[in-house]
Amino acid sequence: MLETFRIAAVQAAPVFLDREATVAKACALIAEAGRGGAALAAFPEAFIPSYPFWVWYVPPIKTATLRPLYAELVAQSLAVPGPETARLCDAARRAGVAVTIGINERNIEGSGTSLYNSQLYIGADGTVLGRHRKLIPTAAERLVWAQGDGSDLAVYPQPFGVLGGLICWENYMPLARYALYAWGIEIYVAPTWDRGEPWLSTLRHVAKEGRCVVIGCCSAVHARDVPDRYAFKSEYLGDTAWVNPGGSVLLDPDGKLLAGPAHEQETILYADIRREQMIGPRFQLDAAGHYARPDVFELRVHRKPRPFIQWADDEGPSAAPTAEGDGNPRATRLFEASLYATDLDAAEQFYTGVMGLSVASRAGTRGIAFRCGSTVLLVFDPDATGEDHQQAPPHGAVGQGHVAFAVASGDLPRWREHFRRHGVAIERELDWNEGRSLYVRDPAGNSVELAPPTLWGMPP
């Protein structure tokens, strides 16, 4: 763990509703933050392709104005994963900087035409750590953004500390804040469109309450940043000069200013942090530690994703409906999978101690049955199952097998840290169209994959 590190809050204006140009600008700013020695660069809320601030100016009844704006926003928004995400990851890797950046995200797992206010987290090695969709868009924002769920509410252990955050007025949700405190957050990112007071007081309170370093980052947008071709500019902005003056700030765990607030300018704020600054103040107050009372208060966080469509229990996405009355039987689901290992004791230790499965039964030196939800994983000794004992037909295999476990995409950072603590090396991580896979090896050399079942179009 780094004992000292530098953080950066990027206050800038996006290139209004231009995804390609804004991504290019973000990549250049990531590189600048890297040259400035930052270990972490934080960008504002909904930076790509722009925060849809017109919702605060144009009355919702003016659909002739709002529909074209929404259509353009959807067309310029991002998919995660996607090519623009890959460009941001590459920029983070080349700069050696962890990045958190606000995006308008399309719901590619559903219609593809609804949007989320999302915060993307990228490691300094260029991997996507996760993304968080704003739980509650505020007031007029609900005309543009859908609600997120608890599946991606998470923190991300990094070499400089535990990273996470909430978006804008999510920071007025005390239970959401407490969940992050209880997960050990140390560097708390609060991207926003808000500014001034009482917002600055809110950020100072969060820093003091959570004993966290807080990064408040906001876009600085002038009316001239909006092209004249947008009719709402002349009709509704009037003589407004600064649509948003910014107000980005860096705070220490006592709520004291480290840098900023920055007003009416594009800039990058920097501050150097000592690890002891994030630990010492908790001597007096540790909201999810010695200052908590779990015997009096209890918080339960529901982290199960809520997909737009789910398959019935007896159907999968590959099971096409059969013609009524055709009389043909069909398999309804897979309930057993088998791997082979000659050291069953090592297998039992890995699948119970590391993967968290329970042993359903063990047949001596022949094999072990592990229960995982409604499915059973069987690990057999191929030397024993290759013989015919007049029970199941002989079976066995040598070499490397493969099994995949379903996990929520937001849990992958926790699995990385979990494997690290258990000394299990991560062999590979891959980005697919519908999610990310993480691969390790069990003691027998079998490939063990963790991935969201959305990879195959299945419900999470």
Side-chain angles (χ1 to χ4, degrees):
M1 189 71 70
L2 295 177
E3 292 302 318
T4 61
F5 59 94
R6 178 168 290 184
I7 57 175
V10 177
Q11 178 166 292
V15 182
F16 190 72
L17 290 185
D18 188 327
R19 178 181 59 210
E20 293 300 313
T22 304
V23 169
K25 183 172 183 176
C27 290
L29 289 167
I30 291 169
E32 182 180 344
R35 291 191 297 271
L40 169 67
F43 283 75
E45 176 182 17
F47 186 72
I48 305 172
S50 296
Y51 179 91
F53 63 83
W54 61 81
V55 299
W56 301 107
Y57 291 88
V58 182
I61 197 171
K62 300 293 186 178
T63 57
T65 299
L66 293 171
R67 285 184 177 184
L69 285 168
Y70 182 75
E72 188 167 349
L73 180 62
V74 170
Q76 294 296 318
S77 293
L78 275 66
V80 179
E84 293 80 20
T85 304
R87 288 174 60 192
L88 294 168
C89 289
D90 184 60
R93 180 188 57 78
R94 286 186 283 107
V97 177
V99 173
T100 173
I101 185 167
I103 63 172
N104 290 268
E105 181 195 2
R106 296 195 309 277
N107 68 328
I108 57 174
E109 74 278 21
S111 66
T113 49
S114 283
L115 298 176
Y116 294 103
N117 178 346
S118 298
Q119 195 72 12
L120 185 65
Y121 292 86
I122 302 169
D125 61 354
T127 61
V128 174
L129 302 173
R131 62 99 171 86
H132 169 60
R133 292 170 168 175
K134 190 174 184 179
L135 291 169
I136 298 289
T138 302
E141 293 176 350
R142 297 173 196 175
L143 298 174
V144 173
W145 290 319
Q147 295 183 354
D149 60 31
S151 65
D152 55 23
L153 188 62
V155 296
Y156 309 98
Q158 295 296 291
F160 49 80
V162 181
L163 172 65
L166 295 172
I167 303 169
C168 202
W169 277 27
E170 278 188 316
N171 289 285
Y172 290 122
M173 301 174 70
L175 299 184
R177 294 200 312 271
Y178 183 81
L180 298 186
Y181 301 156
W183 291 333
I185 190 170
E186 295 173 320
I187 300 93
Y188 189 118
V189 182
T192 188
W193 182 254
D194 205 348
R195 67 278 192 188
E197 289 290 357
W199 178 249
L200 179 57
S201 296
T202 296
L203 296 183
R204 297 185 69 180
H205 172 86
V206 171
K208 180 87 171 181
E209 176 185 67
R211 295 310 208 191
C212 302
V213 172
V214 169
I215 305 176
C217 40
C218 184
S219 296
V221 178
H222 196 278
R224 62 175 171 265
D225 295 319
V226 182
D228 292 339
R229 70 179 179 86
Y230 292 97
F232 82 91
K233 178 181 179 179
S234 58
E235 187 172 355
Y236 294 101
L237 295 188
D239 58 358
T240 299
W242 284 95
V243 181
N244 194 323
S248 298
V249 67
L250 301 176
L251 298 163
D252 75 6
D254 280 314
K256 298 176 181 178
L257 291 171
L258 294 171
H263 295 292
E264 298 183 356
Q265 60 177 311
E266 295 194 48
T267 186
I268 300 180
L269 301 178
Y270 295 96
D272 293 322
I273 307 298
R274 302 186 314 277
R275 177 148 191 81
E276 63 179 324
Q277 289 178 274
M278 302 186 294
I279 305 301
R282 297 189 183 189
F283 150 71
Q284 296 164 292
L285 171 65
D286 191 353
H290 63 77
Y291 223 87
R293 286 294 304 273
D295 56 324
V296 179
F297 305 106
E298 181 179 348
L299 173 61
R300 179 177 297 178
V301 181
H302 296 277
R303 303 191 69 246
K304 182 179 180 180
R306 304 294 179 182
F308 292 99
I309 185 171
Q310 298 189 52
W311 298 93
D313 290 342
D314 62 344
E315 293 182 351
S318 61
T322 57
E324 185 176 354
D326 67 2
N328 294 323
R330 60 172 180 167
T332 58
R333 62 189 176 95
L334 183 68
F335 74 97
E336 284 184 0
S338 296
L339 293 175
Y340 295 90
T342 55
D343 188 340
L344 294 183
D345 291 335
E348 182 173 356
Q349 183 177 0
F350 176 81
Y351 285 104
T352 58
V354 178
M355 299 306 299
L357 307 186
S358 60
V359 175
S361 65
R362 176 163 180 167
T365 59
R366 180 178 174 84
I368 310 173
F370 300 95
R371 188 171 297 282
C372 181
S374 60
T375 303
V376 173
L377 172 66
L378 302 171
V379 179
F380 290 112
D381 183 340
D383 294 334
T385 57
E387 302 173 4
D388 193 346
H389 293 277
Q390 302 302 313
Q391 298 176 5
H395 57 91
V398 294
Q400 301 164 345
H402 174 264
V403 65
F405 291 99
V407 299
S409 59
D411 279 344
L412 286 179
R414 292 184 179 187
W415 276 104
R416 292 189 193 98
E417 179 63 17
H418 180 71
F419 285 136
R420 185 193 65 78
R421 290 198 305 268
H422 285 273
V424 177
I426 296 174
E427 181 180 16
R428 188 167 302 173
E429 295 191 43
L430 293 176
D431 283 317
W432 310 98
N433 287 334
E434 300 296 337
R436 186 176 183 85
S437 292
L438 182 153
Y439 297 87
V440 299
R441 295 280 177 177
D442 73 3
N446 293 301
S447 176
V448 178
E449 177 184 2
L450 280 71
T454 50
L455 292 184
W456 292 103
M458 297 179 182

